[in-house]
Structure formats: structure tokens, C-alpha cells
Amino acid sequence: PEPFVWRAEALLGIAQYESSIGNHDSALQYILQALEEKGNREINLYAASILEKMEEEDLTIRRKHLKMAINFYKKAYSQKKSAFILYQIATLLRSVDENQEAENFFLKVIKKYPNSKYAVYSKKSLERKSKFLPGDAS
């Protein structure tokens, strides 16, 4: 096995621990170091999931972490396509108020993976949004 993949996974394990005890700056440094070691699909997914779960009181920092997670998910998707990754990107885009781009990703899930459970989730997400459009009488 490649030693760099193992090292990157170990660094992400440390990052996850640091994040769990509230040391988000330290966790971020370990994430970046791991990605320097090896930026394969699994490493990008792991890094994105850590960033996505970081709880920050400062909304600006929270948005920054979510945008980084989006970028890591996009890199993972470019390495191997899946409905899950597209759906994750869409939900995170909605979390950072990039609603039009989120809608585009939900539609992409529905188009590319029509029989997946993520297509069903995407349709529900789009339906929820449409209920709150201005001028809607419901």
C-alpha cells in the first residue's frame, strides 16, 4: 500500500479528533497537510465530512469551512462520479445561501441519477423551496 495514503488518513483522523474537541484551527491544518500528502477521492470525501461537521459560532468561519467542504466534494466528484456527492454539494450550497447553484446541482442529481434515492431527496428539496417562493399563496 502507498505510505502517503496511510499517512493522509492518519492526519485526517487527528483532524477529526481536534475538531471534536473544538480545536478547529488545528483540525484545518491537519486537513490541509493530509491533502498535500495525497488528494485522492477518499481523502477529499473524508476532509469534506470533517469540515462539514465543524460547529462554529462565528458564521463567517462556518461559511468558509462549508465552502471548503464544497470544493473537496467537487474534487472527489471529478475523481469518481456519484449521486451522493452531487447531493452533498447541493445541500451545502443551500447552507451557504447559494440557492441557484444548489438548485442546479439538485437538478443534476435528478437528471444523471434518476433512479437513485438522492434523486428522490433532491426532488423533495426542490419542492420545499418552491413552497416558500414570493407570491406563493400556500
Side-chain angles (χ1 to χ4, degrees):
E2 284 187 59
F4 295 112
V5 173
W6 187 87
R7 191 176 310 146
E9 288 173 358
L11 288 167
L12 289 175
I14 296 168
Q16 188 170 20
Y17 171 75
E18 290 292 332
S19 176
S20 74
I21 61 171
N23 294 336
H24 298 151
D25 290 338
S26 179
L28 186 57
Q29 293 306 313
Y30 283 113
I31 288 169
L32 295 175
Q33 190 177 350
L35 291 166
E36 285 177 16
E37 291 286 337
K38 185 71 174 181
N40 67 18
R41 179 176 182 265
E42 290 76 24
I43 299 300
N44 282 306
L45 288 173
Y46 193 0
S49 72
I50 294 168
L51 287 164
E52 175 179 4
K53 293 172 187 164
M54 282 187 183
E55 294 295 327
E56 286 285 350
E57 290 182 27
D58 184 332
L59 292 180
T60 304
I61 294 172
R62 174 79 177 135
R63 286 176 62 86
K64 178 184 166 194
H65 289 164
L66 291 176
K67 286 183 176 191
M68 288 177 74
I70 290 166
N71 287 331
F72 294 143
Y73 277 125
K74 285 180 177 179
K75 285 179 186 175
Y77 185 77
S78 72
Q79 294 163 331
K80 185 176 178 192
K81 315 283 189 243
S82 81
F84 164 76
I85 297 173
L86 283 181
Y87 181 77
Q88 287 299 102
I89 293 168
T91 57
L92 290 179
L93 285 166
R94 186 171 274 175
S95 296
V96 296
D97 295 324
E98 293 185 19
N99 295 318
Q100 185 59 52
E101 191 175 356
E103 186 175 318
N104 292 338
F105 274 89
F106 284 130
L107 291 170
K108 194 182 288 189
V109 172
I110 294 165
K111 182 180 178 184
K112 290 183 178 259
Y113 307 96
N115 299 322
S116 72
K117 64 183 178 183
Y118 297 105
V120 173
Y121 301 156
S122 294
K123 288 176 188 173
K124 287 180 181 178
S125 292
L126 291 171
E127 287 170 7
R128 266 189 308 241
K129 180 202 174 243
S130 67
K131 290 181 183 177
F132 301 106
L133 290 175
D136 189 5
S138 56

